[in-house]
Amino acid sequence: MSAATASPRQTAERFLRAAIGADPGDMADCYAPRFVIEMPFAVAGLFPDRVENTREELRARLRAGAATRRYKRLGNVVIHETADPEVVIVEYELHGEFTDKAEPFSMRFLMVLTVRDGQIVHSRDYSNPVVGAQVIGRLPELIAALSADGARH
């Protein structure tokens, strides 16, 4: 089956397999040449809440992340098909380890994927911003961003 004939569920399954594959950049192959990612729980000043990206920009970012962390396995995967034939909801856990110290970590995700012609054109990604900042080594920046935001209110 070609990517163009893959259903949204099959595209999500391919994305999940690529997440724990040998080359994390392969996840980018699940996306359209241009796509949008929204992150409603993003913390202003640390993570953008909306990103318009190209497949190759995403591939580079994913491969750069592999220098500090590797995803080893998936857990608790549930794919919900919806009334919209282009949309699936994906719940999953990624288990991995930091490459410099072999310390394990785990992250939970919920993604609402819009898939056209077997490629992700839009996703809304929900995850814990504290755990995300820990995994990418930006917890001090998260605390500073949250402290600055709290001081303004």
Side-chain angles (χ1 to χ4, degrees), residues 13-27:
E13 291 168 343
R14 186 168 52 104
F15 169 85
L16 292 169
R17 283 191 305 273
I20 59 171
D23 181 357
D26 289 347
M27 284 187 283

Side-chain angles (χ1 to χ4, degrees), residues 44-45 144-153:
L146 290 172
S147 298
D149 187 50
R152 287 190 290 261
H153 289 93

Side-chain angles (χ1 to χ4, degrees), residues 33-47:
R34 295 198 64 78
F35 59 90
V36 173
I37 296 175
E38 292 182 72
M39 295 166 278
F41 294 157
V43 176
L46 186 62
F47 302 109

Side-chain angles (χ1 to χ4, degrees), residues 50-137:
R50 186 176 196 281
V51 177
E52 294 185 35
N53 231 329
T54 68
R55 182 185 299 145
E56 295 314 311
E57 289 168 334
L58 178 62
R59 185 183 318 280
R61 192 172 83 229
L62 293 167
R63 285 182 174 157
T68 60
R69 63 195 175 276
R70 293 294 293 174
Y71 303 122
K72 300 285 194 169
R73 66 183 175 83
L74 295 164
N76 297 318
V77 174
V78 180
I79 299 174
H80 305 273
E81 295 180 87
T82 70
D84 184 331
E86 293 186 328
V87 176
V88 292
I89 300 168
V90 184
E91 299 178 71
Y92 63 101
E93 293 175 359
L94 269 178
H95 301 275
E97 67 182 23
F98 297 103
T99 55
D100 61 343
K101 52 190 170 201
E103 180 182 312
F105 66 84
S106 177
M107 297 177 62
R108 297 183 74 185
F109 293 90
L110 184 139
M111 297 174 71
V112 179
L113 301 177
T114 302
V115 178
R116 287 190 193 112
D117 299 322
Q119 298 179 322
I120 300 167
V121 295
H122 183 269
S123 74
R124 226 171 12 262
D125 302 356
Y126 298 88
S127 64
N128 183 328
V130 175
V131 173
Q134 286 175 312
V135 168
I136 64 170

